[in-house]
């Protein structure tokens, strides 16, 4: 026997032999290669292959800076090729501490994708989901929410009702368009009208999250947080930019709903300052930005110690979602998961296009079952990835301006 079939038999034999040997006597398997793939609509995938031919997949990307992160992945691979694939924590430390300059979105996203791939690879090697290697599951399924309205929200009432009819029990919507430091109450009233339309469409038991997206500055964020009090929101998200998180103290004093933030924080050291402030109720680390599964597990534990909930940020692709669900499965303070099916960014391709078995993300009554396959629990359709990577993408977020011509936050 020769070719791919013989390789499968040989790999199966090696795995069977390994299963009968005590773990500390298993021969180390080294990392052989690292490849990345730029795929529509705005994603970057990484594949790590070991010397036995097993592969693990990760999703390292900064939306709008995918090629920059790809360059970082290419640089970081020199630290891990030839290393023991099982030593994930040690490799994480090398990737993080091996450079004098560290942290930030680009480097931490590159590390995140590699970390996801290493966990996927290890789970496949030992034939178990990642969450089983992180202490086992604490739940049987995970609540998810859907996006409505786009960057410039409109027709949100009908969109929310459609999501409810699809089986979701919660949605998230952007609050505003451009907002100046001090802006008109006409824009505030427009937000209130949209949220009222959603509440009228879905009823009082449906979860509504309003994402400020860092578009508001402290003065207007305080106004909007107070005006949204009557709507019984699930949470408001990123009411100010993370560099202005000290303003959360004032916002918390006028808000009557939980405050969520954290998608633009990249390590436990960033979160240390946020959690110490005591004014956030929900943290939202992104497993493709904040150092991957290894780092986000530690961030989640820090949040639990501060009595803060976890809702991982994930408007990205299938690998990022699978990694998030692995963390959700074994994390007590996780309560809801973002996912990108049908999100306004997914124009050319959507969440399930690069997955061999789309049922791995089958949503039912507002929940998704935990993936029970080895590693991240999904199989990537590599042929589709290879074909899509021939075109790649050059996604950029828009640059917005206020009516006076000054640059506005997007």
């Amino acid at each position: 026997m020769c070719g791919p079939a013989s390789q499968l038999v040989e790999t199966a034999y090696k795995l069977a032999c390994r299963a009968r040997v005590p773990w500390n006597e298993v021969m180390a398997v080294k990392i052989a290669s690292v490849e990345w793939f730029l795929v529509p609509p705005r994603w970057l995938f990484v594949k790590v292959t070991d010397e036995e031919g097993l592969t693990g997949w990760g999703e390292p990307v900064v939306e709008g800076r995918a090629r920059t992160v790809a360059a970082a992945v290419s640089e970081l691979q020199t630290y891990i090729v030839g290393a023991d694939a099982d030593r994930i924590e040690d490799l994480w430390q090398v990737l993080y501490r091996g450079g004098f300059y560290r942290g930030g979105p680009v480097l931490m996203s590159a590390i995140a994708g590699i970390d996801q791939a290493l966990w996927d690879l290890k789970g496949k090697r030992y034939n178990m989901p990642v969450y089983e290697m992180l202490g086992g599951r604490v739940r049987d399924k995970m609540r998810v929410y859907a996006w409505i309205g786009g960057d410039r929200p409109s027709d949100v009432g009908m969109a929310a009702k459609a999501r409810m009819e699809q089986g979701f029990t919660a949605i998230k919507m952007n609050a505003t368009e451009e907002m100046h430091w001090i802006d008109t109450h006409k824009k505030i009233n427009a937000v209130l009208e949209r949220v009222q339309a959603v509440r009228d469409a879905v009823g009082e038991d449906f979860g509504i999250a309003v994402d400020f997206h860092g578009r508001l500055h402290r003065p207007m964020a305080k106004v909007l947080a107070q005006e949204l009090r009557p709507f019984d929101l699930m949470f408001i998200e990123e009411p100010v930019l993370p560099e202005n998180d000290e303003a959360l103290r004032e916002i918390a004093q006028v808000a009557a709903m939980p405050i969520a933030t954290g998608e633009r924080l990249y390590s436990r050291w960033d979160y240390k300052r946020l959690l110490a402030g005591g004014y956030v109720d929900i943290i939202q680390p992104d497993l493709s930005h904040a150092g991957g599964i290894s780092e986000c597990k530690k961030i989640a534990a820090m949040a639990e110690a501060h009595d803060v909930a976890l809702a991982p940020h994930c408007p990205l692709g299938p690998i990022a979602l699978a990694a998030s669900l692995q963390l959700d499965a074994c994390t007590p303070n996780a309560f809801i998961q973002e996912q990108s099916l049908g999100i306004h960014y997914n124009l050319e391709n959507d969440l399930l296009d690069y997955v061999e078995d789309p049922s791995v993300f089958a949503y039912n009554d507002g929940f998704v079952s935990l993936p029970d396959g080895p590693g991240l629990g999904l199989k990537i359709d590599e042929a589709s990835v290879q074909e899509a990577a021939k075109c790649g993408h050059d996604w950029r977020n828009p640059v917005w301006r206020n009516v006076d011509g000054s640059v506005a936050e997007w």
Side-chain angles (χ1 to χ4, degrees), residues 83-335:
D84 184 346
D86 276 349
R87 297 184 61 180
I88 298 175
E89 179 63 26
D90 184 67
L91 289 173
W92 195 98
Q93 295 291 331
V94 168
L95 294 175
Y96 182 79
R97 300 180 190 276
F100 183 78
Y101 297 100
R102 56 190 66 161
V106 172
L107 289 175
M108 294 304 287
S109 296
I111 292 173
I114 293 172
D115 180 81
Q116 292 171 11
L118 291 174
W119 279 110
D120 190 33
L121 186 62
K122 188 165 186 174
K124 290 173 180 175
R125 179 174 299 114
Y126 294 100
N127 196 33
M128 65 178 68
V130 170
Y131 60 76
E132 293 291 358
M133 296 184 284
L134 296 176
R137 58 188 173 88
V138 297
R139 55 178 49 85
D140 300 320
K141 57 185 179 179
M142 189 66 193
R143 191 182 182 196
V144 293
Y145 65 85
W147 262 94
I148 63 168
D151 280 340
R152 298 183 181 278
S154 61
D155 299 326
V156 288
M158 291 189 299
K161 189 170 182 62
R163 289 298 199 183
M164 184 170 67
E165 291 171 351
Q166 292 171 355
F168 290 98
T169 62
I171 57 91
K172 187 165 77 178
M173 57 185 283
N174 276 317
T176 71
E177 300 180 67
E178 299 92 336
M179 288 287 283
H180 220 312
W181 257 261
I182 305 294
D183 218 316
T184 67
H185 275 266
K186 180 179 180 180
K187 289 186 178 181
I188 297 293
N189 290 334
V191 178
L192 304 181
E193 290 171 5
R194 288 192 291 268
V195 176
Q196 184 68 64
V198 173
R199 182 56 76 202
D200 290 343
V202 298
E204 62 180 0
D205 291 332
F206 196 86
I208 303 174
V210 177
D211 189 354
F212 287 34
H213 215 252
R215 292 174 181 171
L216 283 77
H217 300 275
R218 181 172 63 176
M220 301 309 294
K222 289 193 295 183
V223 172
L224 185 55
Q226 184 164 12
E227 294 292 336
L228 286 170
R229 289 167 64 101
F231 295 101
D232 298 325
L233 298 180
M234 185 167 62
F235 58 82
I236 58 172
E237 179 174 332
E238 210 175 33
V240 290
L241 292 168
E243 50 263 45
N244 299 324
D245 274 345
E246 67 278 359
L248 294 178
R249 176 182 179 180
E250 295 178 54
I251 294 168
Q253 289 173 348
V254 298
M257 70 291 287
I259 295 174
T261 193
E263 70 187 71
R264 287 187 267 192
L265 301 178
Y266 309 110
S267 72
R268 75 198 88 154
W269 295 280
D270 291 342
Y271 275 95
K272 179 171 68 172
R273 290 183 284 271
L274 176 68
L275 292 168
Y279 299 106
V280 64
D281 304 294
I282 304 162
I283 60 161
Q284 299 173 299
D286 190 310
L287 274 80
S288 284
H289 300 329
I293 295 170
S294 298
E295 184 70 353
C296 287
K297 179 64 172 172
K298 296 168 184 174
I299 292 168
M302 289 171 61
E304 183 186 4
H306 285 81
D307 205 20
V308 169
L310 174 77
H313 181 255
C314 189
L316 295 169
I319 305 171
L321 177 57
S324 297
L325 291 173
Q326 296 295 327
L327 178 64
D328 294 328
C330 59
T331 302
N333 52 327
F335 88 102

Side-chain angles (χ1 to χ4, degrees), residues 350-372:
D350 212 331
L351 180 68
L352 306 177
D353 290 355
Y354 302 112
V355 179
E356 285 189 7
D357 180 11
S359 68
V360 69
F361 296 133
Y363 303 138
N364 185 32
D365 295 330
F367 289 84
V368 62
S369 297
L370 302 179
D372 57 6

Side-chain angles (χ1 to χ4, degrees), residues 42 61-68 393-397:
R42 57 177 192 159
V61 70
V62 173
E63 300 93 302
R65 298 291 183 266
R67 294 183 186 277
T68 308
H393 68 84
D394 193 29
W395 188 87
R396 294 285 187 274
N397 62 256

Side-chain angles (χ1 to χ4, degrees), residues 395-409:
W395 188 87
R396 294 285 187 274
N397 62 256
V399 175
W400 283 0
R401 292 184 180 274
N402 294 305
V403 293
D404 64 2
S406 60
V407 174
E409 297 291 342

